[in-house]
Amino acid sequence: MVYGLVGVLCIVIAALCIKIYLLKKSAREIADAFADRLQTDTNTLIDISSRDRDMRHLAESINRQLRILRKEHLQYQHGSTELKTAITNISHDLRTPLTAICGYLYMLQKTDDIGRIRSCLERIAERTEAMKQLTEELFRYSIIVSEEETEPFEDVLVNKVLEDSIMAHYGALSQKGIQPEVEITEQKITRRASSAYLSRIFANLLNNAIKYSDGDLRISLSDTGEITFSNTAKGLSAVEAEQLFDRFYTVETAHHSTGLGLSIARTLVERMGGTITATCIHEQLSITIRLG
């Protein structure tokens, strides 16, 4: 009987040794694979030969963290590229009026003609206003993205906020020769949202139309609560339409805009649980908002 117990014990010890060996092998596989994934740019995840449930659970946990790490890495790369592009665009947008101002100041130093002096001062005032608009847009964007607390949500009558926004911009639209076609449902559209956010969103979309529209603008609010701003945008492609909400993206450079207006609009819409999309079909740009 003693020999029997010894035999059983030897079998158990042998099984444990094999188990330990396999666990160590799996641990080495995970360690080697993890080091390889960190050093190479690949989407391949860690896979091990062991069937042990705990080791496979460990490998899967590491894979989850790798997915998060890769996503953050891609976001960092995208943000770095975007920042470089933004710096280039902003530098160009600010340098253009600055160069003009310096030129007009030089001309002022070289003339005593009152008419020419007034003309130069008018041009300087125009370029200074352009720089002011650019810097204010950047400031508004930095404030919005850095806000830790959101505006309080309440039951908002979307119809009224949209109508008020259109009326507030009617003068600016008329100056650009734009007579908007407005179609707002008589049904009361109420959403749990921020009236301040909605006003800013509509203002940014209207300002975008004033800057870039080819003279037409159609605004609608449907019975389902879908809000659409559409206008002719000659030369705009479907790919460019998808990029309109990217930070600092502009279809035209040096157009008195940093391209932040639509990015701000997307940020605010998403904070309210909604979506905003842009499509361009046959040079007809449509920006659609759906609130949650």
Side-chain angles (χ1 to χ4, degrees), residues 150-253:
T150 60
E151 290 285 333
F153 290 176
E154 57 187 354
D155 290 333
V156 176
L157 183 60
V158 180
N159 313 55
K160 185 178 187 307
V161 178
L162 181 57
E163 289 170 357
D164 290 346
S165 297
I166 295 171
M167 290 303 299
H169 288 78
Y170 197 83
L173 289 166
S174 297
Q175 287 181 0
K176 294 287 290 187
I178 301 173
Q179 294 296 322
E181 299 177 17
V182 181
E183 185 177 344
I184 298 178
T185 178
E186 295 183 0
Q187 180 176 328
K188 292 184 177 181
I189 306 298
T190 304
R191 293 290 185 270
R192 193 74 181 170
S194 162
S195 57
Y197 283 174
L198 275 180
S199 295
R200 172 59 60 83
I201 292 164
F202 296 151
N204 286 1
L205 293 179
L206 288 163
N207 285 330
N208 187 72
I210 291 170
K211 291 175 184 176
Y212 299 111
S213 171
D214 290 324
D216 62 322
L217 176 62
R218 292 167 296 284
I219 305 170
S220 65
L221 172 61
S222 69
D223 292 341
T224 60
E226 186 174 275
I227 309 151
T228 302
F229 289 71
S230 59
N231 59 268
T232 302
K234 293 180 180 178
L236 184 69
S237 68
V239 174
E240 288 175 325
E242 293 177 357
Q243 295 177 296
L244 289 177
F245 299 109
D246 293 347
R247 289 180 299 172
F248 306 107
Y249 178 82
T250 53
V251 177
E252 301 176 44
T253 57

Side-chain angles (χ1 to χ4, degrees), residues 8-22:
V8 171
L9 184 59
C10 290
I11 293 172
V12 172
I13 292 173
L16 288 174
C17 289
I18 294 172
K19 180 71 171 179
I20 292 171
Y21 169 78
L22 293 175

